[in-house]
Amino acid sequence: MNTSAQEETVQTITTHYIDGALVKSHGREAMNVIRPTDGKVIGRVALGDEEDTRLAIAAAKRAFASFGRTTKEERSRYLRQLHTAVSARIDDLTAVMIEEYGGVARFARLLVESGVNAFAAADKALQELPLRESWGKTTVTLEPVGVAGLITAWNANALFICLKLASAIAAGCTVVLKPSEFSSLQTRVMVEALNAAELPKGVFNVVTGLGTVVGAELVRNPDVAKISFTGSVAVGEAIMRDAAATMKRVTLELGGKSPTILLDDAALDKAIPTALTLAFLNSGQACAAGTRLLVPKSRLDEVKRAIRDEMRAFTVGNPADPNTMVGPMVSQKQYERVESYIRKGIEEGAEVLVGGEGHPKGLEAGYFVKPTVFVNVKNDMTIAQEEIFGPVLCVIAYDAEEEAIRIANDSKYGLHSAVLGSDIVRARRVAFQLRAGRVVINNMTDDPQAPWGGFKYSGVGREYGKYGIEAFLEPKAILE
Ligand code: NAD
């Protein structure tokens, strides 16, 4: 490609959003933004440093002095303003998610819309949450915890930002947001949208940069009272450990290795498309992805045939094409990670039913992998235990319902799971025995008032609805 043509398309971001204005980055380092469909540089973004972060924290601290005392009605008004402002940018947010991240059009839009809905959902939850209760001579109030640091992952930038911000605003907290450095173009559109909501200065601040610099300062700084984090277990562990030094409250939304239990009475014409949609959600780059499909041995051959047939619909390619089901991986590193797990699966003796190593034919330029289904997988294999974060499904056979439940729970994770079966009473009985923060029955469905979060290594605390707001509140009792 000729250099001048390339330069024309490169967007440069040199500012952070601090105290209601775009402020030149003090941090001098910068990084390229690479388009995952072809590996080309499409942007260059300044990386904030500790000084940028401290400025943002100071702005949030100043704003908290009055924002922390706002009434429910005022917060509700701000949430409505945010909802209106971000709603107006749904098309732009979807387009930039497809371009920068490679999110497939059909799913990217849903994620952005869920982000927008988070403001309305938080408003509803706030109305129903009593912030003051009294009995006898006792009064209990729920007070905002203080300045919150919001640190987010790259796989659903708009959703994470809106969700965390909505809960924090509903609680009366001011925030400093550090989105993933791999979502900088998406974050810029979001900043423009949020700015249009005209919240008081300093209520939300956004510093783009590296986790080890900007994120670490948020975790370390004594003026930050709470960290709400979405990302990997390794970083979550470091945050929990380092946050202890300043006794911060932490919410950690971490990884998963979610099981989908196919019961022996499941109707395969519905169950297999559902299981595959769960597995390849967001091109497999989803914390909730149902990457372990547990199948009764009595129906294994039938299931394999149904998967082979149905996989024809799971086309890989241009994420902007509304028919595409699986887009590229976010980066070269993520491409290599997924490939290494596919290799590992083969080495450990699992059998490739569909997909396998290497780029799909005709898609050699970007970070595309083949959606892959392994059969003959044992639950103790690496591919069944570790989070791959790509479109790789492990089919694991079981004999009886109790064994399926045992295998499902035999994981360090416990974020999400699914049960597919015709007898709803039986499906519910199984669901109640799963150790996961959320269980869906017969479909990938959502309820923005229901808690989201994990058991075990999948995290600490919950988001969404009243649970999400409570995570930014401190109970205080006044006794006369
Ligand atoms: P990551 O942990 O590498 O990064 C997440 C964020 O943490 C980024 O903003 C990063 O810059 C920052 N960070 C990195 N090091 C830091 C440090 N030392 N201190 C503070 N912040 C730091 O995760 P990722 O690769 O962006 O996202 C993928 C992971 O996120 C997967 O494990 C996935 O399961 C998980 N995830 C979980 C949920 C959920 O709701 N449970 C949702 C989406 C993704």
Side-chain angles (χ1 to χ4, degrees):
M1 186 186 198
N2 104 25
T3 326
S4 59
Q6 187 173 344
E7 275 167 8
E8 275 171 41
T9 59
V10 170
Q11 181 185 347
T12 308
I13 297 172
T14 56
T15 50
H16 307 291
Y17 185 81
I18 299 175
D19 213 13
L22 291 175
V23 176
K24 196 98 188 136
S25 182
H26 179 269
R28 298 263 65 91
E29 307 275 308
M31 70 177 260
N32 288 337
V33 179
I34 315 275
R35 183 167 49 208
T37 47
D38 57 10
K40 297 214 165 107
V41 176
I42 53 165
R44 189 141 176 89
V45 58
L47 298 173
D49 63 7
E50 288 83 355
E51 181 61 22
D52 295 306
T53 316
R54 285 193 283 264
L55 274 178
I57 295 169
K61 187 179 177 185
R62 281 193 302 277
F64 183 70
S66 54
F67 196 76
R69 294 201 304 270
T70 44
T71 61
K72 234 186 201 186
E73 290 66 34
E74 288 167 306
R75 292 178 207 166
S76 170
R77 181 160 51 79
Y78 290 132
L79 287 168
R80 289 197 303 275
Q81 286 171 214
L82 285 161
H83 183 262
T84 306
V86 183
S87 293
R89 301 296 298 273
I90 288 178
D91 288 346
D92 298 333
L93 287 162
T94 305
V96 69
M97 182 172 178
I98 295 169
E99 172 85 350
E100 181 182 30
Y101 164 71
V104 292
R106 55 169 69 207
F107 193 66
R109 195 174 181 88
L110 283 179
L111 280 177
V112 170
E113 286 171 352
S114 318
V116 170
N117 290 340
F119 295 114
D123 187 17
K124 181 171 186 289
L126 178 63
Q127 300 314 318
E128 290 164 12
L129 182 68
L131 293 181
R132 177 189 284 247
E133 281 184 296
S134 297
W135 59 88
K137 292 188 171 183
T138 299
T139 300
V140 175
T141 57
L142 297 182
E143 308 216 342
V145 63
V147 173
L150 313 181
I151 304 176
T152 58
W154 42 259
N155 61 322
N157 186 62
L159 170 59
F160 300 145
I161 292 179
C162 294
L163 180 61
K164 290 187 191 298
L165 183 63
S167 302
I169 296 290
C173 289
T174 58
V175 312
V176 177
L177 180 78
K178 200 231 67 86
S180 170
E181 54 275 35
F182 299 108
S183 309
S184 300
L185 302 188
Q186 296 164 78
T187 297
R188 180 43 53 111
V189 180
M190 182 58 82
V191 163
E192 289 166 13
L194 297 174
N195 180 51
E198 298 188 329
L199 263 53
K201 278 184 188 174
V203 167
F204 78 92
N205 306 272
V206 184
V207 181
T208 31
L210 300 180
T212 45
V213 179
V214 179
E217 177 61 28
L218 285 174
V219 173
R220 181 188 318 127
N221 196 295
D223 286 334
V224 176
K226 153 107 196 167
I227 295 288
S228 178
F229 170 78
T230 296
S232 62
V233 169
V235 175
E237 282 176 1
I239 288 178
M240 197 163 176
R241 189 181 53 239
D242 298 346
T246 43
M247 206 51 80
K248 285 182 179 48
R249 283 76 185 118
V250 291
T251 298
L252 305 174
E253 296 291 351
L254 311 177
K257 191 75 199 176
S258 303
T260 299
I261 299 183
L262 188 111
L263 294 171
D264 58 13
D265 64 349
L268 295 192
D269 59 334
K270 292 209 180 69
I272 295 301
T274 302
L276 295 178
T277 302
L278 281 161
F280 300 134
L281 217 56
N282 206 11
S283 307
Q285 299 177 120
C287 52
T291 50
R292 291 185 295 146
L293 177 60
L294 313 192
V295 175
K297 275 190 188 139
S298 58
R299 302 197 66 185
L300 194 55
D301 290 340
E302 231 184 309
V303 166
K304 283 194 212 171
R305 275 196 301 278
I307 290 178
R308 253 202 226 98
D309 289 346
E310 189 58 32
M311 281 302 287
R312 292 198 190 98
F314 281 77
T315 48
V316 195
N318 176 7
D321 181 338
N323 296 316
T324 297
M325 295 291 277
V326 178
M329 301 295 91
V330 72
S331 61
Q332 176 67 24
K333 187 172 163 216
Q334 191 65 14
Y335 168 84
E336 283 162 14
R337 174 186 165 90
V338 175
E339 288 296 310
S340 75
Y341 275 109
I342 296 176
R343 259 194 311 283
K344 185 83 181 161
I346 295 167
E347 280 162 21
E348 287 188 347
E351 182 192 325
V352 174
L353 181 73
V354 184
E357 282 183 78
H359 290 273
K361 208 162 176 296
L363 291 169
E364 289 78 12
Y367 309 135
F368 295 93
V369 300
K370 293 180 195 155
T372 296
V373 181
F374 278 111
V375 291
N376 289 345
V377 179
K378 303 278 167 285
N379 196 52
D380 59 1
M381 288 180 180
T382 310
I383 52 167
Q385 286 294 324
E386 295 184 8
E387 184 186 49
I388 299 174
F389 225 55
V392 181
L393 172 63
C394 297
V395 175
I396 302 169
Y398 70 84
D399 280 311
E401 188 181 298
E402 303 72 55
E403 192 190 0
I405 295 165
R406 188 188 56 70
I407 296 172
N409 289 335
D410 179 17
S411 167
K412 69 188 256 195
Y413 295 109
L415 184 63
H416 200 268
S417 42
V419 183
L420 309 176
S422 297
D423 177 350
I424 188 71
V425 176
R426 181 182 175 205
R428 268 187 214 132
R429 187 181 66 217
V430 172
F432 277 111
Q433 296 174 75
L434 297 178
R435 304 268 301 157
R438 243 189 215 201
V439 187
V440 294
I441 297 180
N442 285 336
N443 215 336
M444 180 70 198
T445 176
D446 190 23
D447 174 354
Q449 301 302 332
W452 175 272
F455 283 42
K456 303 186 267 182
Y457 277 76
S458 289
V460 174
R462 294 293 182 268
E463 295 194 282
Y464 280 95
K466 70 166 182 163
Y467 308 91
I469 300 174
E470 280 168 353
F472 289 91
L473 291 167
E474 287 279 14
K476 177 168 116 186
I478 296 177
L479 314 179
E480 289 173 20

